[in-house]
Amino acid sequence: MIEFDGVTKRYGGTVAIDDLRLRIPGSGIYCLLGRNGAGKTTLMKLLAGHIAATSGKITAGGERVSPGHMPDSVNYIESGSAQFNMRVSRLIDTAAELQENFDRGFAREMADRFGLDPQKKYKQLSFGMKTMLTTIILLANNSSVILLDEPTLGFDAVTRDQFNTLLLESYHAHPRVIIVSTHLIDEIAKAAERLIIIKGGRLLLEADIGEIDEKAYTLSGPVKLILPLLDGLNCVGKTTAGSVMAAHIYDGRITPPEGVALSRLSLQDFFINIVGGKKSE
Amino acid sequence: MSNAAAWKVAKINLKNIQIPCLITAICVAAMLAQTSVKALVASGGGDMSGQLEISGGCFLWLLPLLAAIFVPAKNFRRIVNLGGKRGHFLRGALMAYAVLAAAVSAGNMAVHYAFDLPMIATGYFEGVVNLVDVFGWTKYGVIAAFVQQAAFLFLLAVFTHTLTAAQGKWYGLAADILIIAVVSVFTPIAPLRAVLAGFFRLILFAGPLPQTAACLLIAAALWALNKPVLARTGI
């Protein structure tokens, strides 16, 4: 279990994480969403013990986390992080030397599947391939918490799809907590089960993706028909063009009256409305 | 905390100090080549009699010194990024410095006995200066000189590592200011100068046993400071 208990992280005068309270009870693929600067990377760094919290308590598997005590159960590599300029095969071997629970066979197989040339040195790899190698090294560790920070950055569409397969394969082979921070919301939704949205360093929403799919929808139609429906509904965003309105709802489904259409709200649109405050009235 | 894991970190550190190795190799080779060329010129009738040569072996000291800058400044993050733990890193760095100190000490002893002394014996030069001789370590025998030199180099590496690791934080800046203050205040005032001289006498000239013990004890004390420093180092 992972718990953030009133955690605050300040960088000088900037508050990156603000009194965060979050509980992740057990295994699953969690998608961590937030706008740029929302505090996603800081949250991951705190959980991995890479940086110290200004205040509050973080625990992972019952162990208190701090830079002085990086838990063995949590594995995190920051995206775009510095690596030794070794050959791919040597880098995988070095990671295997350093990590007790490292599955070298899985790492080699994945490197081969994603076309990583084992003879190429790290600096010779493209940006996407560097990210892929880092992700493979992380997923090859069988520790109970894996933190993936922008793991598909620089990937083309095909590779992103392959990555989702890799993620699911890795999870089914070793069920554990995998937290994926990304901006490609709809793509990760194919693999993730739960969504964590943070805004301004605070937890905005933690919910099942299926539940969001059920509860997030758009009502569109004439303003005069839509507005009365919004009473008692949790409206996360509205778009008005003349006499027509689209209201984005996160609540129980209703049966719309004639003249009002109910359509599915994509995860990306839901996210944009909930964090971006899209109110183009 | 397992020593095996720390030793793995030590080996990774030793394999990833190519730049310190390259700089050291260039300096050592350049000095040895310079002395050899001068000896060749002298053997052909050139006059080098007034010249005091610095032994190329002395430049081997650059290796633990530069490694102690590279390991915390460059390797630390890379090791953690591959899944290494801070505790293992700290012990692994210590092991790497012990290996480097011993290797450099052995290397410099080899240069001193196989190169410097034969060069001095030719009579071409006024002398070939090697720090093992300057600090008087060779007068206690080869083994004692090796141990004294290794202990001092180990202390030097630990000191450099500690100072490098603390840079960029307030306590690193405080340490820098303290060192400058100690040197600039202690040097001009005679009683304080005596204290400073006493410290250097202890870690350099006190004789095999006290000097080795002093170096290792100070290194241990400095090392103890590294744990809180590392705990505050972000990645």
Side-chain angles (χ1 to χ4, degrees):
Chain A
M1 191 188 67
I2 295 164
E3 191 165 10
F4 283 76
D5 184 10
V7 175
T8 296
K9 174 65 186 176
R10 283 195 190 88
Y11 293 106
T14 309
V15 181
I17 294 288
D18 187 11
D19 192 29
L20 181 73
R21 287 168 204 279
L22 172 67
R23 211 167 156 270
I24 296 174
S27 300
I29 301 176
Y30 295 79
C31 175
L32 177 64
L33 295 178
R35 295 185 69 181
N36 292 330
K40 301 185 296 293
T41 300
T42 304
L43 184 150
M44 289 190 164
K45 283 180 160 191
L46 285 166
L47 181 55
H50 282 199
I51 52 172
T54 309
S55 63
K57 194 171 90 172
I58 305 160
T59 50
E63 287 179 272
R64 179 116 189 219
V65 179
S66 73
H69 183 75
M70 291 166 72
D72 287 333
S73 57
V74 182
N75 206 0
Y76 167 67
I77 304 176
E78 193 178 351
S79 64
S81 58
Q83 295 288 358
F84 288 116
N85 189 28
M86 296 171 173
R87 294 187 195 285
V88 168
S89 56
R90 183 81 198 104
L91 214 52
I92 289 173
D93 288 343
T94 307
E97 282 174 30
L98 286 168
Q99 301 175 27
E100 271 180 34
N101 303 316
F102 196 84
D103 186 342
R104 202 187 296 234
F106 172 86
R108 289 209 169 138
E109 189 194 323
M110 288 303 135
D112 185 46
R113 198 200 286 185
F114 285 97
L116 279 166
D117 182 352
Q119 294 307 311
K120 267 196 177 175
K121 287 197 166 186
Y122 184 73
K123 283 186 182 169
Q124 293 173 324
L125 297 175
S126 68
F127 180 71
M129 285 292 124
K130 281 179 182 167
T131 312
M132 177 55 78
L133 181 59
T134 306
T135 305
I136 288 171
I137 287 173
L138 262 171
L139 287 175
N141 186 298
N142 294 331
S143 58
S144 53
V145 181
I146 299 286
L147 309 174
L148 297 166
D149 188 8
E150 298 287 355
T152 54
L153 214 60
F155 287 10
D156 56 46
V158 175
T159 317
R160 284 203 300 274
D161 192 56
Q162 286 176 327
F163 165 78
N164 284 332
T165 311
L166 163 71
L167 193 62
L168 283 170
E169 278 178 23
S170 166
Y171 179 71
H172 290 307
H174 305 282
R176 52 206 161 148
V177 175
I178 300 179
I179 303 177
V180 187
S181 150
T182 183
H183 289 291
L184 298 164
I185 307 160
D186 286 323
E187 285 189 15
I188 199 66
K190 292 172 193 165
E193 297 156 30
R194 287 190 74 80
L195 195 67
I196 299 166
I197 300 180
I198 59 170
K199 184 181 181 183
R202 281 178 166 263
L203 180 67
L204 198 64
L205 179 81
E206 205 253 307
D208 196 88
I209 287 185
E211 187 189 323
I212 295 169
D213 227 22
E214 179 63 32
K215 289 169 78 176
Y217 58 93
T218 301
L219 293 171
S220 45
V223 176
K224 61 178 185 203
L225 288 180
I226 298 279
L227 278 178
L229 295 174
L230 299 184
D231 283 338
L233 281 180
N234 179 22
C235 177
V236 294
K238 283 182 274 184
T239 310
T240 310
S243 61
V244 181
M245 171 184 272
H248 310 298
I249 313 296
Y250 181 65
D251 213 324
R253 293 251 171 167
I254 58 159
T255 310
E258 205 165 317
V260 175
L262 187 151
S263 57
R264 183 183 167 268
L265 182 64
S266 75
L267 213 50
Q268 173 138 321
D269 286 335
F270 170 71
F271 169 75
I272 290 167
N273 280 285
I274 203 167
V275 303
K278 191 181 166 190
K279 284 175 186 159
S280 55
E281 286 178 277
Chain B
M1 188 191 301
S2 93
N3 276 330
W7 177 238
K8 282 174 187 167
V9 173
K11 284 198 288 185
I12 292 167
N13 270 324
L14 289 170
K15 284 177 192 166
N16 288 285
I17 46 167
Q18 293 95 334
I19 294 173
C21 285
L22 188 69
I23 294 171
T24 306
I26 290 169
C27 291
V28 171
M31 282 313 292
L32 291 177
Q34 183 184 300
T35 308
S36 302
V37 169
K38 282 183 178 174
L40 211 62
V41 172
S43 69
D47 183 21
M48 301 283 167
S49 55
Q51 296 211 11
L52 206 58
E53 287 298 298
I54 295 170
S55 169
C58 294
F59 288 88
L60 282 171
W61 283 31
L62 283 172
L63 184 56
L65 197 72
L66 293 174
I69 295 170
F70 269 73
V71 166
K74 280 197 84 177
N75 291 4
F76 170 59
R77 278 178 178 78
R78 286 166 169 80
I79 285 169
V80 174
N81 283 337
L82 283 176
K85 300 292 173 198
R86 284 169 199 252
H88 296 158
F89 167 78
L90 210 54
R91 287 177 75 166
L94 195 71
M95 288 174 181
Y97 299 146
V99 170
L100 283 177
V104 165
S105 182
N108 192 25
M109 295 304 293
V111 170
H112 183 60
Y113 286 101
F115 187 83
D116 300 348
L117 294 183
M119 276 294 170
I120 293 166
T122 60
Y124 295 148
F125 309 107
E126 184 75 25
V128 178
V129 179
N130 193 311
L131 292 171
V132 283
D133 243 356
V134 172
F135 296 138
W137 295 334
T138 46
K139 67 183 173 197
Y140 301 106
V142 180
I143 305 275
F146 164 76
V147 173
Q148 283 183 271
Q149 185 181 202
F152 178 74
L153 289 174
F154 182 65
L155 170 62
L156 201 66
V158 171
F159 172 74
T160 310
H161 176 108
T162 309
L163 209 59
T164 307
Q167 293 309 306
K169 292 122 195 159
W170 69 264
Y171 39 87
L173 183 67
D176 296 341
I177 293 168
L178 188 72
I179 291 166
I180 295 164
V182 165
V183 172
S184 56
V185 173
F186 279 48
T187 309
I189 303 165
L192 294 177
R193 190 165 58 238
V195 173
L196 204 59
F199 171 75
F200 282 110
R201 244 195 316 276
L202 183 66
I203 62 167
L204 287 169
F205 304 103
L209 210 61
Q211 185 250 338
T212 304
C215 285
L216 296 181
L217 282 172
I218 296 167
L222 283 171
W223 202 248
L225 288 176
N226 269 279
K227 217 171 170 182
V229 167
L230 195 68
R232 285 169 176 79
T233 304
I235 296 162

